[in-house]
Amino acid sequence: METRIITHDGQFHVTNGLVSHVIRILPGGEPNTIYFGPAIHDRDDFSDLQELAVRDTLQTDAGHPGLSLEQIRREYPQGGSSDLRPCALDVGDAAGSHAVKLAYDAYRIVSGKVPLDGLPSTFANGTGDDADCATLEIDLADASFGLRVTLSETMFDGLPVVARSVRVTNVSHLPQTVESAYSASLDLPDADWDMLTLTGAWAREAHVERTPLRTGLQGVSSIRGHSSQHANPYLALARPNADEMQGEAMAATLVYSGNFDASVFVDSYARTRLRIGINPEPFSWRLAPGETFQTPEAILAYSGAGFNGLSQALHALYRRNLIRRPWNACRSPIVVNTWEAVHMAMDETSLTAMARSAKELGMEMLVVDDGWFGHRDRADSSLGDWFADRRKFPNGLKPLADAVHRMGMGFGLWFEPEMISEDSDLYRTHPDWVLGDPRLPLHALGVQRCQYVLDMTRPDVVAYLRRTIGDVIGKAGVDYIKWDMNRSLSEAYSRALPPDRQGEVFHRYALGYYRLLHGLAARFPDLLIESCASGGARVDAGTLAYAPQAWISDDTDALERVKIQYGTSMMYPVGACSNHVSAVPNEETGRRLPLKMRGDVALFGTFGYELDPALLDDGECARISRQIDWSKRLGPLMRSGTFWRLRSPFAPRPGFDAADAAWMVVSADRRNAVVGWYRALTGVNAPVPWLRLAGLDADMRYAVTEVDTAVADAGDTAMAGRGFTPWRPRYGDELMHAGLPLTDRTTVTWGRDPFPGDGSSRLFILTAVDASL
């Protein structure tokens, strides 16, 4: 159903047949959240759903006689009132007052949506009446304070999601200071929820944590200047009985790459307030008369079908309304990245040979990682000097790029644009471009890197980077850049800003980052950008709007990657997640896992390699070549199919020593699917693991084929005995309700070894009996 915005006297009902949001204006002008959840029928008057009971100990508000703002579900709560819960907006005027009393003023309905000034956001497909979304804007005002606030909410056709943002405008004749301005706030009538977050650290990103709500404040946040490995800008609420396949759940996330706060407050009457937006702790924003502050965009999603339903709504939104074309639908090239292969010991001759070996195996792009610029032999020099190291590339990068292009491959390059080394020409020329308090010694990232942060709040810094990096891309013909960031922001002081604007540094930094990304994407519209920040420190929807794929972790160990990819899929489509097969022993864990396991994990996403193909023996080359064939065959499905999590690596089951994990991707017409199953430890005399599938057509018969991608020829039709194990065709209902018995001895051809052992994987291809993958 198309999105409808139905207005009655003082009431707004935004619905698309999947979700409904009902807002009602109270007599004093306060916007009241009547309902948010699965779609409901419209009525002229939902006022009987309002909660207006006043308790003896709660304060009533002078602007709303007989009403306590602390008791009602508020659409956008501002502090300085009788609502003593954590609020969404805090603004101070020139006299130091924070007593903002916003009341309804006007509304507008827009077919489609309006881009946010200076910020990434979701977009409408189509224009006017053909747009796939509609937007409601509600103006609130406090005339005596001199403040106007515009609440914007967009609902998308066919998706149970809304996008929300806020504009704060100073309409007085004196300056004001925004101390906090959340992008979205949602009041819920009860606290019978569990909270789910994605937390971790370097090399163990996006681990799933779930805990029941309790009275008080809880949540996740970052003040690192980026979204961070420690806490992804994502928070979900789920009913205690909800799991991957069933139950009510909702999520909040942010289209933003800077400091954030996602928090839940439960009051003493078991009511819940969910907020998400810029973290107010190191933030303030000076508003001169007539100026407007725009918050980033928040996304709220609802599911009545568990966490998979929630994820699938976000995946579909990002593919359709956030990721730039053509990368929202097409398969990304299979890359070989030089980092784990050679680190910084590179030159034109060796890299040309690496590209040639990679091309013979079927790889499609050479990505030259860290070490190509300045005099970069160690990690403590040359950041900011974005010109080729003439010792390694005597004639610059173009001869190497030309040689790679003549092979029919793409050419990619690593940058860390936001950083600067003390040992660099740029630092010697512009020490004032470093972000930091000049009174204090600069704190670098560790002894090995010794790098500082460029002041991205400065337009001249952004212009310099756009010019110098753009020149490298243009002259060499770069097709792809890997955009890294290896340092959080500390001592976040800008010499270019006055004292009363130092609270703006973190947000202005994010705006500068977006200006640089936007400028390069506009100059090179076909350029593929992969985001990276010591792995997953900037895996967020704000960056995804410009960089359609993300390096989600520096940890390439397949067993660890199962956890990371599982957690990341809670929010991000697998086709946007870059996964590489690396050499063994693994650099992060020292673990030696079979090539099959490494490939079977990496296949579920954007596929590539972190190794030197020239060092492989003939057997390894043959197996990798077959892996690549399968990646090319399955790549379109990974980009556009529906992803289902089947079994969590964070939840061991009775009878097993460790949790196994499983997931699958199903085509839009449900005629094709691929299933991955992974085990860390092999149990002794353990129960038979049955794997129930999902998302299939119950009435369709599927040919089920187990594939060893590192053994079989992807084009071989005589499958049995060549790494393929055909199973009899089965109906979709059987596969979903009975499942596949994953016994080790009787159903799998494992060669001489009847047991797969620790660190094992299995891959199944499902094809409708009258269709071919």
Side-chain angles (χ1 to χ4, degrees):
M1 180 188 293
E2 292 183 353
T3 299
R4 295 183 301 152
I5 302 175
I6 308 162
T7 62
H8 298 294
D9 185 25
Q11 180 175 288
F12 305 91
H13 182 187
V14 187
T15 186
N16 62 2
L18 297 173
V19 286
S20 284
H21 182 199
V22 181
I23 305 166
R24 189 165 181 84
I25 308 301
L26 297 179
E30 172 74 26
N32 184 202
T33 302
I34 297 293
Y35 176 83
F36 180 84
I40 57 177
H41 289 89
D42 187 54
R43 290 196 279 128
D44 291 350
D45 186 355
F46 281 105
S47 61
D48 56 328
L49 298 183
Q50 290 173 329
E51 298 177 12
L52 300 178
V54 177
R55 300 175 187 270
D56 288 343
T57 58
L58 297 181
Q59 300 181 82
T60 58
D61 192 88
H64 305 84
L67 175 66
S68 171
L69 296 183
E70 193 175 358
Q71 186 70 13
I72 66 172
R73 297 198 297 270
R74 304 179 69 190
E75 184 64 20
Y76 194 67
Q78 60 270 189
S81 68
S82 63
D83 187 348
L84 303 182
R85 296 169 289 182
C87 289
L89 180 69
D90 182 12
V91 180
D93 65 10
S97 173
H98 291 251
V100 175
K101 309 291 184 183
L102 293 174
Y104 171 77
D105 183 54
Y107 80 92
R108 291 170 299 283
I109 295 175
V110 178
S111 181
K113 72 189 299 282
V114 179
L116 305 189
D117 185 25
L119 287 162
S121 63
T122 53
F123 52 78
N125 283 301
T127 58
D129 293 337
D130 294 326
D132 64 348
C133 57
T135 301
L136 170 66
E137 291 194 336
I138 297 177
D139 293 331
L140 309 176
D142 183 338
S144 64
F145 197 94
L147 191 69
R148 185 173 68 248
V149 173
T150 300
L151 310 181
S152 176
E153 174 166 304
T154 300
M155 189 173 285
F156 298 85
D157 298 350
L159 296 174
V161 296
V162 296
R164 299 174 71 173
S165 64
V166 178
R167 296 192 303 275
V168 182
T169 303
N170 179 358
V171 293
S172 75
H173 64 282
L174 294 172
Q176 298 172 350
T177 302
V178 179
E179 301 290 351
S180 68
Y182 282 79
S183 299
S185 179
L186 179 63
D187 284 356
L188 300 170
D190 68 273
D192 189 24
W193 302 93
D194 289 348
M195 180 179 70
L196 187 142
T197 57
L198 305 177
T199 59
W202 175 79
R204 53 179 177 86
E205 295 88 343
H207 281 215
V208 178
E209 293 190 357
R210 181 173 181 171
T211 184
L213 289 187
R214 54 173 174 76
T215 302
L217 189 64
Q218 54 246 274
V220 292
S221 63
S222 172
I223 54 171
R224 295 173 175 271
H226 51 85
S227 42
S228 89
Q229 296 113 326
H230 302 263
N232 199 275
Y234 169 93
L235 188 150
L237 296 178
R239 295 301 186 185
N241 68 334
D243 57 26
E244 290 287 9
M245 300 299 177
Q246 59 87 36
E248 188 178 26
M250 58 183 68
T253 185
L254 202 60
V255 186
Y256 189 59
S257 310
N259 294 341
F260 75 92
D261 178 61
S263 60
V264 178
F265 178 76
V266 177
D267 70 12
S268 298
Y269 303 103
R271 293 166 305 198
T272 299
R273 173 168 289 172
L274 169 64
R275 304 177 303 168
I276 190 166
I278 294 175
N279 195 319
E281 183 175 334
F283 170 84
S284 65
W285 193 273
R286 191 77 162 164
L287 272 184
E291 288 186 339
T292 295
F293 178 76
Q294 171 68 62
T295 73
E297 185 171 76
I299 306 295
L300 300 180
Y302 173 83
S303 169
F307 292 116
N308 271 312
L310 206 55
S311 299
Q312 290 158 11
L314 291 171
H315 297 179
L317 176 72
Y318 292 163
R319 286 197 299 255
R320 194 181 88 183
N321 298 93
L322 181 68
I323 299 174
R324 60 192 179 97
R325 297 178 177 87
W327 305 109
N328 64 330
C330 71
R331 178 180 68 82
S332 296
I334 297 171
V335 310
V336 57
N337 188 282
T338 65
W339 179 248
E340 290 194 23
V342 299
H343 293 99
M344 296 181 186
M346 61 176 66
D347 57 41
E348 182 179 330
T349 301
S350 64
L351 294 186
T352 303
M354 181 184 293
R356 190 174 297 110
S357 299
K359 173 65 176 178
E360 291 172 356
L361 296 177
M363 299 180 199
E364 299 167 313
M365 180 175 290
L366 175 74
V367 177
V368 180
D369 209 286
D370 193 357
W372 61 268
F373 54 93
H375 57 278
R376 182 81 160 176
D377 295 321
R378 303 190 330 172
D380 61 355
S381 77
S382 302
L383 289 172
D385 294 347
W386 300 116
F387 48 83
D389 186 339
R390 294 294 173 149
R391 301 167 304 159
K392 302 174 183 180
F393 306 97
N395 298 304
L397 291 170
K398 185 168 173 52
L400 172 62
D402 287 347
V404 171
H405 286 144
R406 284 194 296 270
M407 298 177 198
M409 298 179 71
F411 181 70
L413 210 54
W414 178 94
F415 289 93
E416 194 172 359
E418 301 151 77
M419 301 296 144
I420 184 172
S421 300
E422 188 173 10
D423 179 15
S424 68
D425 292 348
L426 182 62
Y427 183 87
R428 287 183 280 271
T429 304
H430 284 291
D432 55 314
W433 281 7
V434 173
L435 196 68
D437 191 328
R439 301 177 302 107
L440 302 173
L442 291 172
H443 291 82
L445 175 66
V447 177
Q448 294 180 336
R449 284 191 174 272
C450 218
Q451 66 184 55
Y452 307 126
V453 182
L454 282 169
D455 186 354
M456 297 285 287
T457 73
R458 301 177 60 132
D460 50 350
V461 170
V462 174
Y464 166 81
L465 292 171
R466 185 168 57 238
R467 182 180 67 255
T468 55
I469 293 173
D471 287 348
V472 174
I473 294 169
K475 290 176 182 177
V478 175
D479 306 294
Y480 162 114
I481 63 173
K482 180 179 178 181
W483 185 306
D484 211 343
M485 180 196 191
N486 286 303
R487 187 191 190 280
S488 299
L489 276 60
S490 61
E491 297 85 39
Y493 182 93
S494 172
R495 305 180 202 191
L497 294 175
D500 62 350
R501 289 193 177 272
Q502 291 300 321
E504 303 174 10
V505 169
F506 281 101
H507 184 58
R508 287 188 181 274
Y509 183 97
L511 295 177
Y513 166 64
Y514 292 138
R515 282 197 302 273
L516 181 55
L517 273 169
H518 179 79
L520 291 174
R523 181 175 172 183
F524 305 102
D526 296 326
L527 181 70
L528 174 58
I529 302 174
E530 177 175 289
S531 66
C532 174
S534 294
R538 212 188 236 158
V539 179
D540 57 63
T543 295
L544 193 62
Y546 298 105
Q549 63 190 51
W551 180 240
I552 61 174
S553 181
D554 285 340
D555 192 343
T556 56
D557 177 274
L559 287 180
E560 294 301 316
R561 268 282 176 151
V562 168
K563 299 175 185 176
I564 295 164
Q565 290 173 215
Y566 188 97
T568 304
S569 75
M570 286 286 185
M571 179 173 169
Y572 305 98
V574 293
C577 299
S578 187
N579 310 320
H580 291 177
V581 177
S582 61
V584 292
N586 183 266
E587 280 200 359
E588 285 72 43
T589 65
R591 191 179 280 130
R592 295 177 178 272
L593 291 170
L595 181 61
K596 170 179 166 54
M597 171 72 167
R598 288 176 275 155
D600 286 355
V601 174
L603 276 171
F604 284 81
T606 295
F607 192 71
Y609 289 87
E610 295 267 342
L611 45 75
D612 187 349
L615 301 180
L616 302 173
D617 60 34
D618 290 345
E620 290 171 323
C621 287
R623 292 194 295 275
I624 284 178
S625 181
R626 290 161 185 158
Q627 251 178 6
I628 290 171
D629 286 342
W630 274 106
S631 174
K632 292 176 180 178
R633 194 173 186 181
L634 296 173
L637 180 61
M638 297 300 175
R639 178 63 80 172
S640 61
T642 301
F643 184 76
W644 292 86
R645 290 178 301 273
L646 304 177
R647 190 167 289 167
S648 170
F650 300 104
R653 294 176 299 124
F656 295 89
D657 295 327
D660 55 359
W663 51 48
M664 65 186 293
V665 180
V666 183
S667 64
D669 60 6
R670 296 189 291 178
R671 300 182 69 82
N672 297 289
V674 56
V675 182
W677 176 85
Y678 312 98
R679 168 162 288 174
L681 299 175
T682 298
V684 177
N685 198 23
V688 172
W690 284 78
L691 182 61
R692 291 184 178 183
L693 307 187
L696 303 175
D697 187 321
D699 299 320
M700 193 174 292
R701 294 176 70 236
Y702 294 90
V704 181
T705 305
E706 183 168 6
V707 179
D708 185 342
T709 56
V711 173
D713 183 348
D716 190 356
T717 56
M719 297 184 293
R722 294 285 311 278
F724 292 81
T725 304
W727 298 33
R728 64 173 177 80
R730 303 183 180 203
Y731 278 102
D733 56 1
E734 177 189 341
L735 291 167
M736 291 188 290
H737 301 308
L740 297 175
L742 301 178
T743 53
D744 291 328
R745 289 182 179 273
T746 59
T747 61
V748 187
T749 302
W750 292 106
R752 291 188 299 273
D753 184 0
F755 295 101
D758 295 346
S760 59
S761 62
R762 298 173 72 171
L763 198 72
F764 301 91
I765 305 296
L766 277 63
T767 308
V769 291
D770 59 343
S772 58
L773 186 65

